[in-house]
Structure formats: C-alpha cells, structure tokens
Amino acid sequence: MNFTVGESSVYLHKLLQKTRQYRDIEVVVAPSLTALQPLSLQTDRKKIRLAAQTANPHDFGAYTGEVSFTQLRGIVDYCIIGHSERRQLFHESDKDIRASVAAALRNNITPILCIGETETERTFGETYDILRDQLLGGLSEVSTEDIEKVVVAYEPVWAISTTADARLASPDDIAEVMQFARRTLKDTYGRATAESVPLLYGGSVSPSNAGAYLTVPEVNGLLIGGASLVADQFVNILETAKKVKS
C-alpha cells in the first residue's frame, strides 16, 4: 500500500526510462489497485508488465468493495495470490487461495502463488508440512495442462523485512526449499511439466544479495518488496539478473 496514482505514474516513468528491453528476463510490477488502470495505458508491455496484488475469486456479484479477476482482465498479466500478509492480516484461507488461483487462470491472468512458513513453524520443524499444504492446496484445482501457466514464489515469513526480528535466509536455506517445491510439483504433475513452472524467491531481497539468490539452483526469479519501491535499486537488481542469466 504505497504511492498515490500520481506517484505511481512518476515511478513507472522512471522505471521505463532506466529499464532496457530484456530478451530473456521478464519484469513485472504490482502497484496498488487504484493505479493499475492508468498505468496499464502508460506502460510499455515489451519492457514491463503489471500485476495485481490480490483479487476476489468471484467473477461478479454483491461483494461491495471487491475487485474480481474478470474486472482485471486486459489490465494485468499477473496477480499475486496468497501473499503472507494476505494470509496473516486478512485471514485468507487455503480455500480462498485455491479459488483465487482457479479464477486467475479462468480469466487468463497468471497467478503468482506465494508459500512460506513462519519462524514458529520453522522452529518446530513444520516447514515442509506447511509448504506442502500451501503448495498443493493452492494448486488443487489446477490441471496438468494449466500448471505451466502458474508461477510459485517462496517467501519465508521470518525473512521478510517488515517482520519483527527478520533475518536473511541463506542460499542453502533457499536451495533446500526450492528443491522440495520442485520435487513436490514433479510428484504431482510429472517431471517434464513441473520443470516449466517458474520458482521465485522473496524475502528481504536487495541489490546486495540478489545475485547470490539468483545463483541458487531452482531459483528462476525474485519477488521483490521494499527494494522495488526505489527505481534505481530495482534497476540494479534487474542488471544483476541479466549478468547472472548471461
């Protein structure tokens, strides 16, 4: 919940000026809801695509204050679903998240399904049980044909910068989880299909650590929080991604 519509427009203008058109890197920004429609007219989709931060899984109806995936169709290419803040602060359940993933696909919007454990869950050795439930729960209505249209993002709650006592996840921590997520997808959808699902990492990503995270096996990209609010830092991370990719 950052930037007014005007501030979002200025930010996107700076980003479009500073960002190259990458052949093998996709750049996505997720502004607040009020900015999505005007930014969709401003952006160059060859450089930057838009994502919603959340949406209601019902296509239409008496849901005052909500915005559906159907209403976002044509405005965004992606939607973040099941972010830890949505799960914790707004009590979104696995059922809600499952319905949102299905609604996104139904409306030709790519879901970015977020999974991640809390510090307490990690301390008690529940990490993989939690992640398995979140991953398979969110994908339970996704067919083998549609799984290739999904992106999965691992964001450990204990590593998010806005969390009290947050600490950085080590590349080894991330590698273990990413390998687990990939195995789980392979067991469910088959090796060839599962290999096509991009896995992102998010958790206090910054220009100083982005390179290390992008070299972790199975990490195909980053879900960036606070650092993305500063255009120069975001561009720095993009350049790092380009170097790693090369």
Side-chain angles (χ1 to χ4, degrees):
M1 197 166 65
N2 296 284
F3 298 168
T4 64
V5 173
E7 290 167 342
S8 297
S9 178
V10 170
Y11 170 86
L12 183 61
H13 178 70
K14 290 180 180 178
L15 206 57
L16 287 169
Q17 284 188 317
K18 295 174 179 290
T19 302
R20 294 184 289 149
Q21 183 175 332
Y22 299 99
R23 178 177 297 179
D24 49 3
I25 296 175
E26 189 166 15
V27 184
V28 182
V29 296
S32 296
L33 176 64
T34 52
L36 282 174
Q37 197 278 333
L39 263 57
S40 73
L41 303 177
Q42 178 183 344
T43 193
D44 177 352
R45 292 197 178 191
K46 293 180 180 179
K47 285 186 175 182
I48 297 173
R49 300 195 176 202
L50 296 180
Q53 297 178 9
T54 188
N56 189 289
H58 296 90
D59 288 341
F60 58 88
Y63 302 98
T64 300
E66 293 293 282
V67 173
S68 71
F69 288 91
T70 302
Q71 292 171 311
L72 291 172
R73 191 166 54 196
I75 297 176
V76 303
D77 293 296
Y78 292 86
C79 183
I80 301 170
I81 297 175
H83 190 280
S84 60
E85 290 165 3
R86 299 299 308 178
R87 293 178 188 265
Q88 293 186 331
L89 300 180
F90 300 99
H91 311 292
E92 289 188 359
S93 66
D94 289 339
K95 181 180 178 181
D96 297 328
I97 293 164
R98 176 166 61 249
S100 291
V101 170
L105 292 170
R106 185 168 66 245
N107 286 283
N108 297 316
I109 294 173
T110 300
I112 302 174
L113 173 62
C114 297
I115 61 174
E117 81 284 14
T118 65
E119 178 67 30
T120 299
E121 290 164 344
R122 186 176 184 84
T123 300
F124 283 94
E126 300 173 349
T127 293
Y128 295 114
D129 290 335
I130 294 295
L131 297 181
R132 182 185 293 107
D133 289 347
Q134 291 178 348
L135 181 60
L136 296 183
L139 298 176
S140 61
E141 294 185 16
V142 179
S143 66
T144 301
E145 291 72 25
D146 283 341
I147 189 61
E148 296 179 351
K149 305 172 186 176
V150 174
V151 176
V152 175
Y154 171 53
E155 47 150 14
V157 180
W158 48 270
I160 297 175
S161 59
T162 54
T163 305
D165 301 322
R167 58 186 177 84
L168 290 177
S170 71
D172 287 343
D173 291 333
I174 300 168
E176 291 177 3
V177 169
M178 291 301 190
Q179 290 164 8
F180 169 80
R182 187 69 74 190
R183 286 197 306 271
T184 303
L185 290 171
K186 288 178 180 178
D187 291 344
T188 307
Y189 293 99
R191 176 179 295 274
T193 302
E195 289 287 356
S196 67
V197 178
L199 299 181
L200 312 183
Y201 173 71
S204 300
V205 176
S206 69
S208 63
N209 60 32
Y213 289 151
L214 285 168
T215 57
V216 173
E218 301 292 359
V219 171
N220 306 121
L222 301 170
L223 184 67
I224 306 162
S228 69
L229 297 176
V230 181
D232 287 338
Q233 290 189 28
F234 194 23
V235 171
N236 188 311
I237 293 172
L238 294 177
E239 290 299 316
T240 297
K242 177 63 178 177
K243 292 177 183 177
V244 172
K245 183 71 175 178
S246 299

